[in-house]
Amino acid sequence: MMLTEETAVPTAALPVDAFKAHLRLGTGFAEDTLQEPVLASFLRAAIAAIEARTGKILIERDFSWLLNGWRDDTGQALPVAPVTALSEVVFINRSGAETPLAAHFYRLAEDMQRPKLTPVAGVLPAVPTGGAVRIGFRAGYGPSWEDLPADLAQAVLLLAAYYYEYRNETSVGEGYMPFGVSSLIERYRTVRLFAGAGQ
């Protein structure tokens, strides 16, 4: 299974001004914009870390997911949430030839924890032996920063500020998440039961 981000978070959607205010950086100087690329990079890093920890996509964008078979042919759970639209389901045989599945054969079962690709009737068609299926979809709370729940937006600012403050620190363990951030995102984390059988 391989999840690919097809489009990136647009720079215009990043809350650079809100982040400046959060950091209490001075304004009104000729050099005001010099740090903006740096601040944007910390915001992107914080968004990526929180998305990885929660399985929730914050800013809306397009993804494709390649897998070798269905976990459940009555409905395949998608790897992230919230998913707002399915764009394609394409079967790929062992020689690489692609066959799109007509959109009227499948639908999106929306869910804030576990959205699913489901058949309109019966079961999903079998994935070709030795082949794969690619699912294209759009995920995220919305296209702009204002679409995020307030606690997730605050978590991003706190984590980006932490990265900014300790940008030269090399002793912090990989994957470390400050307590304030962890407590804000805890309710968004997907609980995985039965060693992944519920995925």
Side-chain angles (χ1 to χ4, degrees):
M1 293 187 282
M2 182 171 63
L3 180 66
T4 303
E5 185 176 321
E6 299 291 350
T7 55
V9 175
T11 301
L14 295 173
V16 174
D17 289 338
F19 189 32
K20 285 180 182 178
H22 182 83
L23 294 172
R24 299 179 182 175
L25 295 180
T27 58
F29 302 101
E31 300 83 9
D32 272 1
T33 60
L34 291 181
Q35 279 208 81
E36 286 189 1
V38 175
L39 299 179
S41 71
F42 287 123
L43 285 166
R44 288 185 188 280
I47 288 170
I50 288 172
E51 288 180 343
R53 188 67 64 98
T54 63
K56 303 296 182 293
I57 302 303
L58 305 187
I59 303 295
E60 192 174 76
R61 51 204 194 274
D62 296 326
F63 293 84
S64 64
W65 190 37
L66 191 70
L67 58 162
N68 300 114
W70 308 120
R71 184 178 291 273
D72 181 352
D73 62 8
T74 65
Q76 175 63 56
L78 298 170
V80 294
V83 173
T84 56
L86 296 169
S87 58
E88 66 172 8
V89 176
V90 178
F91 292 101
I92 306 166
N93 68 19
R94 67 172 69 213
S95 64
E98 299 189 355
T99 305
L101 180 64
H104 63 267
F105 286 115
Y106 62 88
R107 67 181 187 86
L108 172 65
E110 294 187 53
D111 187 279
M112 289 304 290
Q113 292 295 331
R114 249 179 236 292
K116 288 184 176 183
L117 166 72
T118 60
V120 170
V123 297
L124 295 166
V127 177
T129 302
V133 59
R134 183 177 70 244
I135 304 169
F137 60 89
R138 173 158 286 200
Y141 285 97
S144 69
W145 183 254
E146 289 71 27
D147 296 313
L148 267 67
D151 47 0
L152 284 179
Q154 182 66 17
V156 170
L157 292 177
L158 286 173
L159 187 56
Y162 177 83
Y163 289 159
Y164 180 82
E165 183 70 22
Y166 295 98
R167 56 193 177 277
N168 297 317
E169 182 62 62
T170 58
S171 62
V172 176
E174 185 178 341
Y176 173 76
M177 188 96 25
F179 174 75
V181 177
S182 297
S183 61
L184 285 169
I185 68 174
E186 185 60 33
R187 74 186 184 98
Y188 293 96
R189 296 183 69 182
T190 301
V191 178
R192 301 188 187 279
L193 301 172
F194 311 115
Q199 296 181 43

